[in-house]
Amino acid sequence: MAEINTLSIKVTKTESSKIHQVDLGNVPFGRVFADHMLVAHYRNGEWIDAEIKPFGNLSLHPATSALHYGQSIFEGMKAYKGANGEPLLFRPYDNFARFNKSAERMCMATVPEELFMDGLKQLVSIDRDWIPTSQGSSLYIRPFMFATDEYVGIKPSDNFTFIIFTCPVGAYYPEPISVKIEEYYTRAAEGGVGAAKAAGNYAASLYPNKLAVEQGYRQLLWTDAKEHKYIEESGTMNVFFVINGKLLTPDIGRDTILKGVTRNSVITLAREMGYEVDERKVEVAEVVQALENGSLTEAFGAGTAATIAHISAIGYRDNRFELPPIAERKVANGLLDRLNEIRLGMVEDTHGWVVRL
Ligand code: COI
């Protein structure tokens, strides 16, 4: 793992906070940015110039390789406010670990734990007043890294920039979403980069998703690249079904599905709450059959941005199946309540998921 030559992170605070221009009780997702960001550079095999500074634009050379060849990865995390106003980070070490897995897959430098975690903790502490407290809101944290070689040609970059910024956010999906089972386009193939949080995965999903939107759906349910026979995940989250009272979710064995931190939290909590959870290949045919015979009573996505997002309808070929009303979704609603209690520090954190600042 790469070394950082000094662990000290320079801090330059803004002289004019923007917080008074923002209604933290009513923020859309991803459009409002807190006052500061962490920036560090990888040059000559070491991380240098780590600095927390006022949030602002970057200046980039036109040949910056990430812009041309897509060597770019990111993560998503959230911070909440505890009972005494202290920031609470949810499972940041899991996101840190996944970030470096993505980095390795994309031939990028890894980020040392000291830089990632100390930078994150200091940044969130400095901008703690930006953590919204209204129901369903949080401070979304976006670590990302991109290749900065100024070079036209295909090779792994030698230089990288690592940045963390934060945004106060409300719900990513303010309403339940409809999803369409996709049987032609592919998100990820075995041996590809589907398990990495690579920027290009999201770019490639835009066109098929646009077609789904034209057909009246909000998102896709991706299927496997080989046969389009098995459900994989949705565009922004992992997916769960409740069939005959049991939870069913695609397993993450084949490197085509993102190893979601929220997915893992949901599985852990569901089992503790006494639900049976099946992690295995999920056939499109069994989901469609369960929709037809009414044994599928709930479906939801699980992701950091989306949290637990109710699925209101599932499209399959020419059929659109409407799911039962949200108020009847005992499993997903119970899991969301439980997850929120833990993230907000309202109950004992028996898993060590919450990092208090
Ligand atoms: C997240 O859930 O944090 C993500 O990165 C998904 C993104 C599409 C907002």
Side-chain angles (χ1 to χ4, degrees), residues 29 74-77 140 142 172 197 202 235-237 303-306:
F29 197 102
F74 70 98
E75 269 301 324
M77 283 179 270
Y140 185 78
R142 170 52 58 86
Y172 189 78
K197 221 160 159 57
Y202 296 82
T236 53
M237 52 200 185
T304 297

Side-chain angles (χ1 to χ4, degrees), residues 130-331:
W130 285 86
I131 304 175
T133 51
S134 57
Q135 207 197 352
S137 66
S138 58
L139 188 73
Y140 185 78
I141 302 164
R142 170 52 58 86
F144 67 110
M145 175 166 59
F146 58 96
T148 54
D149 269 15
E150 296 164 2
Y151 172 66
V152 176
I154 303 292
K155 69 166 192 67
S157 186
D158 293 318
N159 299 284
F160 299 93
T161 295
F162 170 61
I163 298 181
I164 308 180
F165 64 73
T166 67
C167 314
V169 296
Y172 189 78
Y173 293 120
E175 301 294 335
I177 60 164
S178 53
V179 296
K180 189 199 122 188
I181 297 175
E182 176 58 56
E183 291 186 289
Y184 176 70
Y185 293 99
T186 292
R187 176 188 171 275
E190 285 181 43
V193 296
K197 221 160 159 57
N201 285 342
Y202 296 82
S205 74
L206 296 176
Y207 181 72
N209 203 79
K210 178 180 135 198
L211 300 182
V213 169
E214 284 167 9
Q215 292 164 36
Y217 295 97
R218 178 74 201 269
Q219 272 289 338
L220 290 172
L221 267 187
W222 294 104
T223 54
D224 70 287
K226 258 191 209 154
E227 301 176 88
H228 295 293
K229 188 174 166 194
Y230 300 100
I231 304 273
E232 299 235 300
E233 63 172 271
S234 188
T236 53
M237 52 200 185
N238 297 110
V239 67
F240 288 80
F241 304 98
V242 180
I243 300 177
N244 292 322
K246 275 198 245 169
L247 279 147
L248 177 61
T249 192
D251 69 288
I252 47 178
R254 291 169 304 282
D255 261 9
T256 56
I257 298 180
L258 196 77
K259 295 178 177 50
V261 176
T262 310
R263 173 188 182 279
N264 177 271
S265 307
V266 163
I267 292 171
T268 306
L269 296 177
R271 288 189 174 135
E272 283 173 10
M273 289 161 74
Y275 293 110
E276 206 173 305
V277 185
D278 241 2
E279 283 183 82
R280 59 167 170 80
K281 282 180 144 190
V282 176
E283 279 197 46
V284 172
E286 67 181 307
V287 170
V288 172
Q289 192 185 37
L291 285 163
E292 282 169 347
N293 69 23
S295 57
L296 191 157
T297 49
E298 303 186 28
F300 61 91
T304 297
T307 61
I308 287 180
H310 294 291
I311 292 174
S312 53
I314 298 179
Y316 178 63
R317 299 187 180 166
D318 290 335
N319 295 316
R320 182 181 170 112
F321 298 92
E322 300 295 334
L323 272 61
I326 304 308
E328 292 172 16
R329 312 275 184 104
K330 195 172 140 246
V331 180

Side-chain angles (χ1 to χ4, degrees), residues 18-45:
K18 300 179 293 313
I19 199 161
H20 302 296
Q21 301 165 16
V22 176
D23 174 6
L24 283 183
N26 182 23
V27 271
F29 197 102
R31 298 205 181 273
V32 176
F33 302 91
D35 281 331
H36 298 91
M37 61 183 184
L38 168 84
V39 181
H41 301 286
Y42 187 78
R43 306 242 189 287
N44 299 318

Side-chain angles (χ1 to χ4, degrees), residues 10 13 46 65 70 99 103 142 163 170 176 196 208 231 280 314 351:
K10 186 177 163 196
K13 289 198 187 169
E46 60 180 7
S65 57
F99 188 80
R142 170 52 58 86
I163 298 181
I231 304 273
R280 59 167 170 80
I314 298 179
H351 305 282

